[in-house]
Amino acid sequence: GAGVSQSPRYKVTKRGQDVALRCDPISGHVSLYWYRQALGQGPEFLTYFNYEAQQDKSGLPNDRFSAERPEGSISTLTIQRTEQRDSAMYRCASSLGPTTSTDTQYFGPGTRLTVL
Amino acid sequence: EDQVTQSPEALRLQEGESSSLNCSYTVSGLRGLFWYRQDPGKGPEFLFTLYSAGEEKEKERLKATLTKKESFLHITAPKPEDSATYLCAVAGVNDYKLSFGAGTTVTVRA
């Protein structure tokens, strides 16, 4: 596709349920990033992949959050046993690869998660 | 830990009234400083990357500059369509994650 796509665009769930958020990066992009953005703030890093390898997961808030990218393309961010504090916009970005000249990250439209 | 502070939080301009946005940063070795534009309900849209002090980049009415401690985004003769939130982010050497500021929301009145 022309850009990064994310699904669903909106997700409403009840506290305690598990949710899975999907990111489809720009075709050919090696690197994929997950961020979380609160209202009125900039995106906050969660985790990062090169191909299928998770390179950095230092931003994941706790062990209820996990991410995978099994075939080096589509990625899924999973939140188990959701809590109200997990409500936020979750954004995915992709870039060509881990070199200075190809490090521009392009963002998707995000998934708005609301936990009731 | 990388830190980015943007000022002002909000800026209201009259069409044609030029102004500047500030991004102050601390990072242990700068790999790049990035400017993005974000419209309501949309994801950040890439504008510029600056890599070293003294570097400047331009795009239409926008010009970004970089020093060792801060970056400026100059908006020359803005139009209403320049209304958006402008986000600044940095990445350190050997680090590919972006650390963002909170953004400056610019409103341009016709």
Side-chain angles (χ1 to χ4, degrees):
Chain A
V4 178
S5 61
Q6 293 185 245
S7 61
R9 293 292 310 277
Y10 303 91
K11 178 69 178 178
V12 180
T13 190
K14 293 183 178 179
R15 183 167 52 92
Q17 297 293 308
D18 298 351
V19 295
L21 312 180
R22 173 186 163 125
C23 172
D24 196 347
I26 294 171
S27 178
H29 277 197
V30 166
S31 301
L32 186 147
Y33 306 79
W34 284 99
Y35 293 84
R36 181 167 68 175
Q37 187 172 17
L39 201 61
Q41 299 296 316
E44 181 182 6
F45 172 78
L46 294 176
T47 187
Y48 150 57
F49 292 84
N50 276 340
Y51 298 100
E52 71 281 358
Q54 191 169 20
Q55 300 290 328
D56 184 350
K57 56 181 181 179
S58 63
L60 296 177
N62 51 61
D63 60 8
R64 295 186 297 105
F65 286 73
S66 63
E68 63 175 9
R69 194 186 183 198
E71 298 180 359
S73 179
I74 293 169
S75 176
T76 303
L77 177 70
T78 301
I79 309 173
Q80 296 179 311
R81 305 180 303 281
T82 53
E83 300 178 6
Q84 287 185 330
R85 60 177 172 159
D86 299 334
S87 296
M89 178 70 81
Y90 289 83
R91 297 205 187 272
C92 176
S94 70
S95 67
L96 274 172
T99 65
T100 300
S101 63
T102 59
D103 65 353
T104 300
Q105 294 183 28
Y106 297 93
F107 283 80
T111 294
R112 168 71 67 188
L113 175 65
T114 302
V115 183
L116 302 176
Chain B
E1 184 177 326
D2 302 342
Q3 287 195 327
V4 178
T5 303
Q6 292 189 246
S7 62
E9 291 184 10
L11 190 61
R12 293 177 63 85
L13 301 172
Q14 198 68 34
E15 184 172 4
E17 178 189 2
S18 301
S19 188
S20 295
L21 286 55
N22 178 266
C23 170
S24 298
Y25 66 91
T26 56
V27 62
S28 54
L30 180 69
R31 182 174 67 81
L33 183 140
F34 304 81
W35 281 99
Y36 285 84
R37 168 191 172 127
Q38 187 169 26
D39 293 302
K42 296 192 175 181
E45 175 188 346
F46 172 74
L47 292 173
F48 305 108
T49 309
L50 302 168
Y51 294 105
S52 58
E55 189 174 1
E56 298 182 352
K57 288 195 176 173
E58 287 188 68
K59 180 179 180 179
E60 296 182 356
R61 294 174 294 281
L62 301 177
K63 178 180 178 181
T65 62
L66 181 66
T67 72
K68 289 187 177 180
K69 294 184 178 181
E70 56 191 351
S71 176
F72 292 93
L73 184 66
H74 307 277
I75 309 178
T76 302
K79 298 183 177 181
E81 53 261 43
D82 295 322
S83 297
T85 295
Y86 291 87
L87 295 165
C88 173
V90 296
V93 172
N94 299 320
D95 193 1
Y96 291 92
K97 66 184 179 188
L98 297 179
S99 297
F100 281 86
T104 294
T105 299
V106 175
T107 304
V108 183
R109 296 164 291 173

